[in-house]
Structures are given as structure tokens and as C-alpha cells.
Amino acid sequence: MKPLRHDVSFVPLAVAATGIGVFIGMDAVMKGLVAFYPVLMAVFLRYVAGTPIVWAVFLRRPQRLGARSIVANGLRGGLIVVVASSFFFAVTILPLADVIAVSFLAPFFIAILGRTMLKEPLPPRVLVGLGIGFIGVLVILHGQFVLAQRENAPLGFAAALLSAVTYALSNVLVRRQSMHDSVEAMVMLQTTAAAIVLIPFGIAFWQPVELSHIFLFALCGLLGTGGQLMMAWALSHAPASRLAVLEYTSFLWAALFGWLAFDEIPTVSTIAGAAIIIGACLVALKPPGTSARGRASARGTIAAGRDPGAEAKASPETSDGADR
């Protein structure tokens, strides 16, 4: 069993932020595709397209897989099916930006689950950042929903909320499973499992695919796999609670892709909410130790390959086996 890593540098944060942006790019492409095909068929093809890619990545550095790894990652693959299907069902009812806004609840679930399942610390600055970020979400939601009257909107919100909860659970499970498996193995197993689970649904809802759309499904497979690899790597190197607030940056990515792909111009409330969200990120992601002495000590422990306070976190007496 590998110990959980606690990288205090900004590298895992940068990788996670990029991974989120890649995911939003895939979401934008998939939103266009589900307008032509049933949701479950589209999700099935997205994972079918991604399976050869994850196997190619895995075989570059193969890992011997035991029954525990196959079962754990396979079950998480089934969870990923729920995440993707509920999300893309929601975007058939609500605008992409609306669903992304609802998904901002995920950091709260990630931080709570990271604490309860992994016994990770929940520093006060993370709670403050999450609270500030939620205010930004409310600003955005007010601007988008105050005059909105949509049929089936409650169903769309329920699907978006289900996606946020299961996404948070999946992220925390990735971090716990990273003690046993490599990033490549986790992504390969979950993607393959998702494709297998979706086979009967893909067959049941199958309809002919246009040639131009085959390329777009392949692109979704590539983007989805890249995003999974980046997020899995980041979650295996840094606490889930520290990465949680980065989920708020997904709205910034959504605004960018919405403008580029759909000519959607962010509103004043969107810009104001985004500014608040950025402030939340700066608060929550502030490195521990602000004094000169603290910074020097932190630099020393990082250079030595250790996390400040790692000894306390790694103590067997205070660990339940899910955290070091």
C-alpha cells in the first residue's frame, strides 16, 4: 500500500485546474451531440472512444492488478456512469452554464467526504474559501434564474445535483484508491468499466451516427481521458479538500467555451460572481505558513521530500488506513 501524498506546491493545483478546463471542453462538445442522440447512447460512445486511449496509456507503464483493484475501480466506473449520464441529461433541460453553476456544490461535498472518509484536515481557510465561493455562486444563480421559467427545470436541477454529489464521491474515492493503484491503472479500469456498464444502454438507444459526429465522439474520448488522467494525478498528490475549491474555476472555463463555441457573452452577474470565485480560490489555496520563518521551514521540508506536519498525519495510531 502506498501512503497518501500531501504535496504543498502549486503543481497539483495547476494540473487539476487544467484538467477541469479539459473536462468543460468535452462538456461543450457533448452538449452539442446530445441534441442529436439519446443521452445514454452519447455517453456510451464517449467511453467507447476513450477506452483504447486509456489502455494505450496504461500499457506504457503496466501494473499488476489484483482483484481488489479491479473491483474497486470497476465500482467507481459504475459511479462515473451516473456522474456523466445525470450531467448530460441535465444539459438537455438546462443551459450548460446553469448546470455548471449547480455543480459548484461539489466542492462542499468533496471537502466533507474528504474529512469523513479520508480523515483529511479541513483548515479554516478552506471553509472560508468555500463560503466565499458559494456567495459567488449565488450571485451567478440570481442573474441567470431570477427571470427563468423553464419546463422540467426541477428535474434538470435534480439531475445536476445528483451529478455533483456522485462527482464529489468519485474524486474522494480516487484519492483513497491512489494508495493502491497508479493513475493510469485507475483511469483505465474506470473507463473500461463505464463502457461495459453502458453496453446494454448503448444498444437499446442506438441510432445511426453521422460521419462528422464520429470525429466529435472521438474528440470527447480524448478530452475525457486527458481530464481524468490530470484529475486523478492531482488527487493522488494533494488532499481532496485543498483541490475542492478549484471546481469553482469550471464556470470560468464554461464562460470561455460558451463564448468561443456558442457566442454566449457572460453577463454582469457572471463577471461579478467569477471575481468572487477567484477570491475564494486565493483564500482557500493560500499555502500554510505566512511568516518568513514558516516559509523557510516549509521550503526545507519540501526540499527534503516531506510535507510539513506529515509525521502527525502519517502516524499509524491516528490513521484508519485511508490516510497517512
Side-chain angles (χ1 to χ4, degrees):
M1 179 185 295
K2 298 181 293 183
L4 282 174
R5 300 174 182 174
H6 293 269
D7 189 341
V8 298
S9 75
F10 276 91
V11 174
L13 306 179
V15 172
T18 304
I20 291 169
V22 171
F23 270 133
I24 299 302
M26 181 198 69
D27 292 341
V29 178
M30 283 290 289
K31 179 176 173 63
L33 289 171
V34 294
F36 296 93
Y37 304 100
V39 171
L40 288 174
M41 174 190 163
V43 176
F44 167 65
L45 289 177
R46 171 258 179 275
Y47 283 105
V48 167
T51 298
I53 302 173
V54 296
W55 272 95
V57 173
F58 171 73
L59 291 175
R60 292 185 60 186
R61 196 176 65 174
Q63 167 191 337
R64 184 176 181 179
L65 301 172
R68 177 175 180 175
S69 295
I70 294 173
V71 171
N73 287 291
L75 291 175
R76 206 171 65 81
L79 185 64
I80 289 296
V81 170
V82 179
V83 175
S85 299
S86 56
F87 180 90
F88 293 119
F89 175 76
V91 300
T92 65
I93 299 175
L94 302 171
L96 177 61
D98 295 19
V99 179
I100 293 297
V102 174
S103 75
F104 286 155
L105 293 173
F108 294 91
F109 300 127
I110 291 174
I112 293 170
L113 291 170
R115 173 60 179 168
T116 56
M117 296 178 63
L118 303 181
K119 299 298 185 288
E120 292 182 345
L122 202 59
R125 67 179 181 278
V126 173
L127 295 176
V128 172
L130 290 173
I132 295 173
F134 186 66
I135 293 174
V137 172
L138 292 178
V139 171
I140 295 169
L141 290 177
H142 174 77
Q144 292 186 353
F145 297 149
V146 67
L147 300 176
Q149 297 291 332
R150 299 187 181 91
E151 294 184 5
N152 299 325
L155 183 60
F157 283 121
L161 181 60
L162 175 62
S163 180
V165 173
T166 50
Y167 175 73
L169 178 58
S170 173
N171 276 4
V172 175
L173 291 177
V174 165
R175 179 153 173 78
R176 186 166 69 176
Q177 195 60 31
S178 69
M179 293 186 295
H180 306 281
D181 300 316
S182 67
V183 169
E184 296 85 353
M186 289 189 293
V187 174
M188 180 275 291
L189 288 171
Q190 76 172 43
T191 302
T192 303
I196 292 173
V197 169
L198 284 164
I199 288 175
F201 299 100
I203 294 174
F205 293 97
W206 183 262
Q207 65 184 53
V209 181
E210 295 183 16
L211 183 62
S212 60
H213 290 168
I214 293 177
F215 167 77
L216 293 178
F217 278 117
L219 178 61
C220 286
L222 181 62
L223 293 175
T225 301
Q228 284 178 319
L229 289 169
M230 284 183 274
M231 287 301 299
W233 185 92
L235 286 163
S236 69
H237 284 73
S241 58
R242 189 168 185 239
L243 298 177
V245 76
L246 282 175
E247 296 297 330
Y248 290 131
T249 64
S250 61
F251 193 90
L252 304 179
W253 289 109
L256 175 63
F257 287 116
W259 173 58
L260 293 175
F262 307 112
D263 198 27
E264 298 172 349
I265 306 298
T267 64
V268 173
S269 61
T270 298
I271 296 172
I276 295 174
I277 291 169
I278 293 173
C281 290
L282 295 176
V283 169
L285 301 182
K286 184 179 180 181
T290 56
S291 67
R293 181 177 181 180
R295 286 193 298 270
S297 175
R299 281 195 296 268
T301 53
I302 292 170
R306 296 184 289 112
D307 175 19
E311 289 80 7
K313 288 182 284 189
S315 174
E317 290 78 14
T318 61
S319 174
D320 64 352
D323 195 5
R324 67 167 179 162

